[in-house]
């Protein structure tokens, strides 16, 4: 059913309910074109006779409900058609969620709040994208809640965010990220500071619920929560916490029966826990691959994405004009804690940082907290509740002159003066 070379590439004829999977080789680009029929990429419909370009390392599935012909040109690592996909199960799940939205609309209730969980590399992010696309294609306004601090689809790594979805994801670039609500976590694994992770999950839940109270469409649209692949120990507890903070109605467990059983046991009985298979097309990603895509995310933040180039600014910031903090003091044994202080307090504590050379290359979040907000006694009140208004990277530190040079998406001055340090480093090679 495939292989006949067209004028501009290899032609693939797909039967209904099958998908063409391909991966783009390192350093290469691949162009995809829909020649006839209907097809979609992770729930976003393809336009006919339009060339879609995918960059190095992209792992894509072109799925068709009705049958189609497509052509691929450029170097693919693999390209094959599979008849064995769970898309029908995902569509049925979407239909059930849509039924809940319809009912919510009628009864003046809120729509489904869905948490997608599973170990690493089972297609969690992809399932979220498919469900959001199907919902928004029906005119719904679901919210994507991104809790994966390692591979955020909304903002730079080390953040937790919420994004109202108003149109399907762009086939090449994903969801358009205008005005996301972003919180600073600071590292790429929840385990670095699980208290902070849970606290920020609660913050997001609260902001989302407030929005639902004033925005009927957001309320009926509900949310799809993407989570990390860490599903054991504190990672598991974080999932349970999230389910309760967001008062989720549905949990989709991908590919792990044990996790499914645990959640069924530990969540309230009215939460519907559903086990779904992972797609055979989901590709495992190595540590290096993950690191690269994190780096790419930061680069995109400053320099834009292919079609749209940004031109970041470099300027000096005087130490005396900013206050820099790290969230969380290094944990100390319980027995050494001052009387009346708990481990929670240390993990949520705001630790002032005096800039030194080791700050070089670090990504800093610019907090939206009021510049003259009191930061009393090392307490982070106000700052933890404040979203981030942007990010900068420290490119050089001059301790003699007491200034640092930063890379910023906007020209000087910084919009706010409270900066939070990330563990994440970015080396600007441009
Ligand atoms: P992580 O544990 O890193 O969060 P995940 O569970 O969210 O991973 P995804 O990011 O959704 O998994 O999928 C992993 C990779 O597989 C992605 O690059 C995605 O584009 C690709 N992928 C997903 N589904 C398919 C498919 N059916 N065919 C081909 N590639 C796919
Ligand atoms: Mn993911």
């Amino acid at each position: 059913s495939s292989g006949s070379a067209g004028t501009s590439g290899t032609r693939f004829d797909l039967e209904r309910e099958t998908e063409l999977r391909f991966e783009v080789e390192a350093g290469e680009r691949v162009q995809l074109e829909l020649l006839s029929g209907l097809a979609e990429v992770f729930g976003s419909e393809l336009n006919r006779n339009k060339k879609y370009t995918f960059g190095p390392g992209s792992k894509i599935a072109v799925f068709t409900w009705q049958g189609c012909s497509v052509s691929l040109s450029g170097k693919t690592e693999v390209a094959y058609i599979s008849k064995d996909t769970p898309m029908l199960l995902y569509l049925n799940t979407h239909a059930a969620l849509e039924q809940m939205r319809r009912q919510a609309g009628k009864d003046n209730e809120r729509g489904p709040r869905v948490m997608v969980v599973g170990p690493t590399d089972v297609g969690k992010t992809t399932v979220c994208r498919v469900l959001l696309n199907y919902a928004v294609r029906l005119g719904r306004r679901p919210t994507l809640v991104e809790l994966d601090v390692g591979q955020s689809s909304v903002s730079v790594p080390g953040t937790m965010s919420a994004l109202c979805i108003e149109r399907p994801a762009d086939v090449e670039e994903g969801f358009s990220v205008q005005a996301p609500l972003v919180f600073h976590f600071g590292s790429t694994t929840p385990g670095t500071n699980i208290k902070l992770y849970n606290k920020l999950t609660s913050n997001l839940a609260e902001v989302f619920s407030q929005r639902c109270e004033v925005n009927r469409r957001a309320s009926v649209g509900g949310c799809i929560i993407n989570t990390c692949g860490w599903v054991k120990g504190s990672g598991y507890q974080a999932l349970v916490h999230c389910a309760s903070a967001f008062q989720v109605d549905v949990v989709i467990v991908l590919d792990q029966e044990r996790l499914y059983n645990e959640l069924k046991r530990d969540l309230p009985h009215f939460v519907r826990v559903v086990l779904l298979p992972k797609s055979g097309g989901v590709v495992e990603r190595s540590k290096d691959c993950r690191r690269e895509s994190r780096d790419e995310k930061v680069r995109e933040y400053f320099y834009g994405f292919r079609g749209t180039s940004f031109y970041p600014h470099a300027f000096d910031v005087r130490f005396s004009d900013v206050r820099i903090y790290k969230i969380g003091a290094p944990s100390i044994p319980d027995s050494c804690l001052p009387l009346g202080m708990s481990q929670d307090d240390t993990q949520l504590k705001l630790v002032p940082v005096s800039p030194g050379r080791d700050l070089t290359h670090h990504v800093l979040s610019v907090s939206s907290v009021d510049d003259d907000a009191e930061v009393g006694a090392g307490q982070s009140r106000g700052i933890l509740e404040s979203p981030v208004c942007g990010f900068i990277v420290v490119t050089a530190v001059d301790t003699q002159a007491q200034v640092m040079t930063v890379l910023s998406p906007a020209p000087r001055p910084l919009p706010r003066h409270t900066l939070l340090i990330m563990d994440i480093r970015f080396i600007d090679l441009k």
Side-chain angles (χ1 to χ4, degrees):
S1 63
S2 70
S4 65
T7 44
S8 57
T10 309
R11 182 187 165 111
F12 294 86
D13 299 310
L14 280 75
E15 285 167 33
R16 60 196 292 266
E17 288 175 37
T18 64
E19 70 186 22
L20 169 66
R21 296 170 183 164
F22 64 91
E23 286 178 47
V24 183
E25 261 188 32
E28 298 291 334
R29 282 174 188 289
V30 165
Q31 283 197 327
L32 164 74
E33 188 178 342
L34 175 64
L35 304 173
S36 65
L38 296 169
E40 54 186 46
V41 169
F42 305 139
S44 304
E45 286 178 295
L46 293 180
N47 289 322
R48 202 163 310 162
N49 301 118
K50 179 173 160 75
K51 287 198 166 72
Y52 297 92
T53 306
F54 298 96
S58 302
K59 305 166 200 338
I60 305 295
V62 183
F63 180 85
T64 180
W65 291 107
Q66 297 88 353
C68 73
S69 296
V70 299
S71 91
L72 278 189
S73 50
K75 279 194 184 145
T76 51
E77 211 157 282
V78 288
Y80 66 97
I81 294 174
S82 174
K83 297 186 177 188
D84 187 15
T85 98
M87 283 298 281
L88 191 57
L89 294 171
Y90 297 168
L91 180 72
N92 288 341
T93 306
H94 155 73
L97 297 178
E98 186 51 29
Q99 179 56 40
M100 292 168 82
R101 292 185 189 104
R102 214 171 300 141
Q103 199 63 45
K106 261 192 240 154
D107 302 347
N108 206 25
E109 296 274 352
R110 60 177 180 75
R113 297 177 173 196
V114 185
M115 181 169 83
V116 177
V117 304
T120 50
D121 298 315
V122 290
K124 298 179 295 300
T125 301
T126 305
V127 167
C128 289
R129 181 163 164 175
V130 168
L131 293 175
L132 289 162
N133 273 335
Y134 286 172
V136 77
R137 278 167 63 180
L138 293 180
R140 301 296 183 187
R141 290 292 176 271
T143 297
L144 164 60
V145 177
E146 177 59 272
L147 301 186
D148 187 349
V149 291
Q151 311 277 323
S152 171
S153 52
V154 173
S155 187
V156 301
T159 61
M160 298 164 74
S161 52
L163 178 69
C164 178
I165 305 297
E166 300 186 321
R167 62 190 70 88
D170 181 90
V171 171
E172 295 159 324
E173 302 184 17
F175 289 113
S176 133
V177 278
Q178 279 154 15
L181 177 78
V182 182
F183 285 101
H184 167 98
F185 176 67
S187 125
T188 57
T189 46
T192 316
N193 190 337
I194 198 74
K195 290 277 155 45
L196 178 61
Y197 186 81
N198 289 334
K199 167 90 174 110
L200 295 177
T201 301
S202 300
N203 283 358
L204 279 165
E206 201 167 304
V207 176
F208 176 63
S209 291
Q210 281 164 5
R211 185 177 151 79
C212 288
E213 270 168 35
V214 296
N215 186 321
R216 193 67 200 129
R217 286 188 88 183
S219 176
V220 171
C223 67
I224 310 277
I225 307 167
N226 187 29
T227 60
C228 295
W230 183 32
V231 297
K232 288 187 186 154
S234 306
Y236 176 76
Q237 290 311 326
L239 295 178
V240 173
H241 170 79
C242 174
S244 121
F246 275 89
Q247 299 181 298
V248 304
D249 310 287
V250 178
V251 178
I252 296 172
V253 185
L254 287 171
D255 195 51
Q256 206 186 82
E257 216 176 323
R258 203 199 59 213
L259 180 61
Y260 165 76
N261 283 314
E262 285 173 338
L263 287 167
K264 269 211 338 193
R265 181 194 66 203
D266 295 343
L267 296 180
H269 66 276
F270 54 81
V271 179
R272 282 204 249 171
V273 186
V274 193
L275 181 65
L276 289 176
K278 75 167 186 181
S279 166
V282 176
V283 187
E284 257 183 55
R285 283 171 300 173
S286 63
K287 266 209 164 102
D288 283 346
C289 182
R290 282 162 196 274
R291 192 175 317 116
E292 262 167 45
S293 70
R294 279 202 283 272
D295 224 50
E296 191 48 40
K297 247 354 227 191
V298 181
R299 190 178 317 282
E300 269 173 31
Y301 175 79
F302 289 104
Y303 290 101
F305 191 88
R306 268 184 262 155
T308 38
S309 295
F310 303 152
Y311 300 93
H313 302 257
F315 53 85
D316 287 350
V317 174
R318 287 206 309 252
F319 293 170
S320 57
D321 287 342
V322 291
R323 42 184 195 183
I324 307 176
Y325 299 102
K326 181 184 174 307
I327 302 175
S331 63
I332 47 176
D334 282 330
S335 57
C336 301
L337 283 169
L339 209 61
M341 201 184 194
S342 76
Q343 210 63 256
D344 295 27
D345 300 328
T346 63
Q347 285 204 306
L348 300 181
K349 199 177 161 178
L350 213 55
V351 185
V353 174
S354 30
R357 211 154 276 134
D358 52 356
L359 207 59
T360 316
H361 303 311
H362 276 270
V363 178
L364 308 183
S365 303
V366 181
S367 171
S368 67
V369 76
D370 228 6
D371 278 339
D372 33 49
E374 285 276 329
V375 182
Q379 280 311 306
S380 44
R381 213 170 305 284
I383 291 186
L384 290 188
E385 283 75 16
S386 303
V388 162
C389 55
F391 304 93
I392 56 176
V393 169
V394 179
T395 51
V397 177
D398 186 339
T399 46
Q400 288 277 288
Q402 295 276 295
V403 297
M404 58 185 185
T405 310
V406 303
L407 186 72
S408 158
R412 106 176 67 206
L414 292 174
R416 286 283 194 283
H417 295 139
T418 304
L419 308 176
L420 305 170
I421 302 189
M422 293 236 192
D423 286 352
I424 297 145
R425 285 150 44 101
F426 175 70
I427 306 204
D428 187 22
L429 296 170
K430 213 159 181 183

